[in-house]
Amino acid sequence: QVQLVESGGGLVQAGGSLRLSCAASGRTFASYAMGWFRQAPGKEREFVATISRNRGNTYYSDSVKGRFTISRDNAKNTVYLQMNSLKPEDTAVYYCAARPDYSSTYYRSWEYDSWGQGTQVTVSS
């Protein structure tokens, strides 16, 4: 497992942008697939985006496709989530997650074994 710490959340108006960061500890970051999930009050945690260990493959939920971009810098042990054209329905706690990458696409929360503490994103209308 790796330790994950998210940052970059905050309050933004609808139509605005935020960039979330997730810093990982350990020397095996480059071997991990990384994901972003979110959970709104009273709702289940939902998948947002994932990126493979070598940045070759990305996958997004339909609700964020075309607005959010996931990326990673293996030299900095960091994964990012650039969020543009934010909507009030994007309001949630955003979590970073990691798991060993065995060349698959991981979009279910139970597939991940390391989680950050979450960062709040609030989009006002």
Side-chain angles (χ1 to χ4, degrees):
Q1 292 189 346
V2 294
Q3 282 70 53
L4 304 171
V5 178
E6 302 98 333
S7 61
L11 173 65
V12 64
Q13 289 188 334
S17 298
L18 281 176
R19 189 176 82 154
L20 305 183
S21 299
C22 174
S25 65
R27 294 174 292 177
T28 58
F29 176 77
S31 67
Y32 280 77
M34 301 298 296
W36 286 97
F37 290 77
R38 66 187 182 186
Q39 188 166 18
K43 295 188 176 181
E44 294 186 352
R45 189 169 299 188
E46 66 170 348
F47 167 76
V48 174
T50 184
I51 187 167
S52 63
R53 60 182 178 178
N54 60 4
R55 304 184 298 276
N57 294 318
T58 58
Y59 182 66
Y60 299 89
S61 68
D62 288 343
S63 61
V64 307
K65 195 176 300 180
R67 299 187 299 122
F68 291 11
T69 302
I70 188 171
S71 62
R72 68 189 294 165
D73 185 338
N74 287 344
K76 295 183 178 180
N77 281 15
T78 302
V79 63
Y80 305 96
L81 185 68
Q82 178 67 44
M83 306 185 295
N84 298 329
S85 303
L86 282 161
K87 305 174 182 180
E89 51 263 44
D90 294 318
T91 295
V93 177
Y94 282 71
Y95 297 91
C96 172
R99 63 145 297 137
D101 189 346
Y102 297 122
S103 299
S104 183
T105 300
Y106 306 102
Y107 59 92
R108 303 175 183 88
S109 60
W110 56 262
E111 295 178 303
Y112 289 83
D113 54 17
S114 298
W115 292 84
Q117 82 290 348
T119 185
Q120 177 70 46
V121 171
T122 302
V123 184
S124 63
S125 57

